[in-house]
Amino acid sequence: MVAQPLKHQGGLFWAEFSPDGRAVVTASRDGTAGVWDAVTGRRLTPPLKHHSAVRKASFSPDSQSIVTASDDNTAQVWNAKSGEPTSPPLVHGASVIDARFSPDGRFILTASYDGTARLWTVAGVPVFPPLTNTGPIGLARFSPDGTRILTAKGSDYVFYEPDVALLWDSTAGTQTLARLRHSSGITDAAFSMDGSRIITASRDRTARVWDASTGESIGPPLRHGRDVFSATFSPDGRKVATASVDQTARVWDGATGNPLTPPLRHGGRVWCASFSPDGRYLLTGSDSSGARVWDLATDEYAIPPLAHQGGVLHVSFSPDGRRIVSSCQDNAAHVWDATSSI
């Protein structure tokens, strides 16, 4: 590991690098988010405190601010250098599961189990009335250009009935025509880097690629043996990766849906998958196999598995691809050096 473990008093939901790669932010069941030096593991601010579990913590595009989402029914904007709040609490009627900045850093998007997603200024002022879906909203994403918003229930809400992800115009708060349907709960969703396509993952054991303008499906369903919990595009949009409870991750052609690798097998449920910035490697996190880095040219490990003492719920590369961060149920996040073998 590069840094000492980034320790909390409860399991971690999330960890991510700042866009400048200098810091890591973590979100924990212990009711705090942490801001850490990405090289030494030293705390950079006091803990960012909520009154209940912190589900998500994300940096602004300029790395100067952080937004947190909590089970205390609020999101909060913080100064990333001092740890001081810079907005009033962004209040919902139930747990806030997701919160993130717009690509230009001017707005905050929140998603809540009160059945709404909301757009706020960074000062905490609502921009337009709440966006509503059929039931709780645990996932909200901006398109890369910031003009559209994607909402869905997300992976924490157990739902096995037909489900739909919705698209919204972020300038007006109005719903577009595209409705992305699965036969069971939608657990994950992401835009391609150019914003032209969307991928969704579902408890119906499939992921699907969609045209972001029309909502029409592109290619066949990407099938697993059990629920799919993660789906993402490669940086160039040519590949997609999926992670499933069936103990495998898969890589597929983003246009045709043809498999590009055999199933990448793990010893437990696979919760997450993330491409390296150059698209050559896939990083996965699972229940019992820790984190793994796969060389997509050989379908083999690029480095030995990264051992953890609990399930790994989220993994990502640093912006330069030289480091890895993993969030674990062992009450810590871990930063790893990827340069010696990759």
Side-chain angles (χ1 to χ4, degrees):
M1 283 184 287
V2 175
Q4 61 187 335
L6 315 181
K7 293 184 179 179
H8 282 262
Q9 299 302 309
L12 269 71
F13 287 108
W14 189 261
E16 69 173 46
F17 287 99
S18 58
D20 64 13
R22 297 177 179 176
V24 170
V25 67
T26 52
S28 171
R29 294 180 186 272
D30 68 8
T32 71
V35 188
W36 316 79
D37 186 288
V39 175
T40 67
R42 178 177 61 88
R43 276 194 184 269
L44 297 177
T45 72
L48 312 182
K49 293 183 178 180
H50 281 265
H51 298 292
S52 190
V54 179
R55 296 296 195 110
K56 181 69 68 65
S58 296
F59 281 98
S60 59
D62 64 3
S63 302
Q64 299 302 302
S65 298
I66 290 166
V67 63
T68 51
S70 173
D71 281 345
D72 68 6
N73 300 359
T74 72
Q76 182 76 60
V77 185
W78 312 79
N79 184 299
K81 306 303 180 185
S82 68
E84 294 294 320
T86 60
S87 76
L90 312 182
V91 179
H92 279 264
S95 294
V96 184
I97 306 301
D98 200 2
R100 60 192 62 231
F101 287 88
S102 60
D104 62 8
R106 297 172 54 209
F107 301 100
I108 302 291
L109 179 61
T110 56
S112 170
Y113 279 178
D114 68 5
T116 70
R118 303 189 183 201
L119 189 68
W120 317 75
T121 68
V122 292
V125 178
V127 176
F128 41 63
L131 313 178
T132 59
N133 202 343
T134 54
I137 301 178
L139 177 156
R141 303 279 190 269
F142 282 104
S143 60
D145 64 3
T147 62
R148 289 164 294 168
I149 291 169
L150 175 64
T151 61
K153 288 187 175 64
S155 61
D156 289 342
Y157 188 73
V158 180
F159 187 73
Y160 283 98
E161 299 300 320
D163 198 11
V164 61
L166 300 177
L167 274 168
W168 309 80
D169 182 328
S170 67
T171 62
T174 54
Q175 190 178 319
T176 71
L177 294 177
R179 299 173 68 88
L180 316 180
R181 299 182 184 277
H182 279 265
S183 61
S184 194
I186 295 172
T187 56
D188 196 14
F191 283 94
S192 59
M193 289 294 289
D194 65 2
S196 66
R197 290 169 295 155
I198 292 167
I199 188 167
T200 52
S202 172
R203 294 181 185 273
D204 67 9
R205 305 184 179 189
T206 72
R208 302 206 68 155
V209 179
W210 312 84
D211 184 296
S213 297
T214 66
E216 296 296 320
S217 60
I218 299 172
L222 312 178
R223 298 190 182 277
H224 277 266
R226 293 185 63 188
D227 302 14
V228 184
F229 268 78
S230 176
T232 188
F233 286 95
S234 61
D236 65 5
R238 297 174 62 183
K239 299 186 286 287
V240 298
T242 53
S244 172
V245 179
D246 70 5
Q247 304 189 12
T248 72
R250 302 289 302 263
V251 180
W252 317 77
D253 186 292
T256 67
N258 293 329
L260 298 178
T261 68
L264 306 178
R265 300 192 181 278
H266 298 65
R269 293 171 291 186
V270 189
W271 298 117
C272 50
S274 178
F275 285 98
S276 60
D278 62 8
R280 296 171 57 199
Y281 303 95
L282 186 71
L283 175 61
T284 58
S286 74
D287 263 351
S288 61
S289 301
R292 298 184 179 187
V293 182
W294 304 83
D295 185 330
L296 298 182
T298 65
D299 307 329
E300 302 291 341
Y301 301 153
I303 59 176
L306 308 176
H308 295 68
Q309 299 303 310
V312 176
L313 298 185
H314 180 72
V315 291
S316 63
F317 283 94
S318 61
D320 63 5
R322 298 169 63 85
R323 288 164 294 165
I324 290 162
V325 67
S326 54
S327 57
C328 183
Q329 292 304 293
D330 65 2
N331 297 358
H334 305 272
V335 179
W336 311 83
D337 185 355
T339 60
S340 59
S341 298
I342 292 180

